[in-house]
Amino acid sequence: MRRTVALTTLGFALVATMASAQDMMRDVDLTSPAMVSAEMSRQEVEAVLAKASAGAPADFTGTRLSGLDLSGLDLSRAVLRAARLNKTKLGRARLDRAILDQAWLLDADLTDASLKGANLFATQMARAHLDGADLTGARIAADLSGASLVGASIADAHLGADMRNQSMGLMRAVLRSANLERLNARNADLSRVDLEFASLRGADLTGASLRNAQLGGADLTGATVIDADFEGADLTSTKLIAPIGLDRAKNFDKAKNRERLIRQ
């Protein structure tokens, strides 16, 4: 009971903090055992997974799994709500349709992991490594500041703010200063997403919604922007050098601060 109350309190605190500044690390001791230790071994995690079924997926809600090597495990549909996975190795792991709401994955390694259709709401993933990861169709309202998603896919994923449900504040993905080179973002919803100072060199933004996105200082050199919607996007000091298909982009004339673009 005490643990449930603590988790509920932490969950509300995280969402409230994310809503105000999307900085869930404020007022949290990142060096505490709760954030850096594991209460299970890989073998124990595997045992829980072995007992899981489609109707009763593995449940690791609030579990401390930081620092473990869980690479290659099939965690599809697993419930990892508010779990701590800081610096956890999840390379090549399957997390398809997993629930990672309010989870902590600071500096986690998800290289080549599959997170198709996963749910990441109020998830803290600063500096996470997601190179080559597949987040196709995922719902992502996470803090990915400084994360690396080189060659990853967020095709058809939803990272934008749902303005019909913002009672807690602006909830959307934050990719400030992230490395998104060669990212597949075809048809992704990036509306109102914070992409300031992110590198999108060579990214495929075909059909993506960038409506009201923050692109200040971002690097879109060589990015494909066919049918990408720029309405209301802030292009202050954005590098838009040799883009592909700019003449076929949508509402580029309605973007903000186009006069401050860097074209060469």
Side-chain angles (χ1 to χ4, degrees), residues 17 20 41 50 82 86 93 114 124 135 156 159 178 185 191 197 206-207 218 228 230:
T17 306
S20 61
S41 66
N86 299 318
S114 179
Q124 178 57 50
L135 294 101
D156 299 306
L159 292 84
S191 54
F197 305 107
T206 301
F230 283 88

Side-chain angles (χ1 to χ4, degrees), residues 15-16 24 75 138 251-252 258:
V15 174
M24 297 192 296
L75 290 149
N251 298 313
F252 189 69
R258 285 188 303 139

Side-chain angles (χ1 to χ4, degrees), residues 1-18 24 26-28 61-62 81-82 84 102 104 122 168:
M1 178 68 178
R2 189 180 304 171
R3 178 176 179 179
T4 301
V5 172
L7 285 174
T8 302
T9 303
L10 176 62
F12 280 121
L14 297 186
V15 174
T17 306
M18 187 175 179
M24 297 192 296
R26 189 175 61 192
D27 302 324
V28 176
T61 298
R81 186 177 290 108
R84 268 77 103 198
Q102 300 175 13
W104 292 77
M168 297 294 291

Side-chain angles (χ1 to χ4, degrees), residues 61-194:
T61 298
T63 305
R64 301 192 310 274
L65 301 169
S66 293
L68 288 182
D69 185 349
L70 304 178
S71 352
L73 289 187
D74 188 350
L75 290 149
S76 299
R77 298 176 180 271
V79 179
L80 291 150
R81 186 177 290 108
R84 268 77 103 198
L85 297 132
N86 299 318
K87 295 187 177 181
T88 299
K89 295 180 180 179
L90 290 156
R92 303 179 311 283
R94 289 190 60 187
L95 290 142
D96 298 337
R97 301 183 70 178
I99 305 298
L100 288 152
D101 298 346
Q102 300 175 13
W104 292 77
L105 292 106
L106 302 175
D107 299 293
D109 183 0
L110 292 118
T111 303
D112 295 323
S114 179
L115 295 100
K116 296 177 183 176
N119 212 60
L120 299 108
F121 180 82
T123 309
Q124 178 57 50
M125 303 180 75
R127 303 176 305 280
H129 303 278
L130 292 124
D131 297 341
D134 189 349
L135 294 101
T136 299
R139 180 64 180 98
I140 307 167
D143 187 345
L144 285 147
S145 300
S148 181
L149 289 90
V150 176
S153 175
I154 57 169
D156 299 306
H158 301 275
L159 292 84
D162 181 356
M163 299 312 293
R164 297 169 300 178
N165 185 24
Q166 293 294 326
S167 60
M168 297 294 291
L170 188 62
M171 302 295 294
R172 79 298 201 236
V174 172
L175 290 151
R176 181 184 288 261
S177 300
N179 188 348
L180 310 175
E181 294 182 7
R182 304 191 308 280
L183 178 72
N184 175 7
R186 294 176 69 91
N187 301 312
D189 178 8
L190 297 164
S191 54
R192 300 182 186 273
V193 169
D194 185 347

Side-chain angles (χ1 to χ4, degrees), residues 208-232:
S209 174
L210 292 161
R211 294 168 68 93
N212 299 301
Q214 297 169 251
L215 287 161
D219 187 351
L220 276 71
T221 299
T224 300
V225 294
I226 297 170
D227 292 326
D229 191 347
F230 283 88
E231 182 172 353

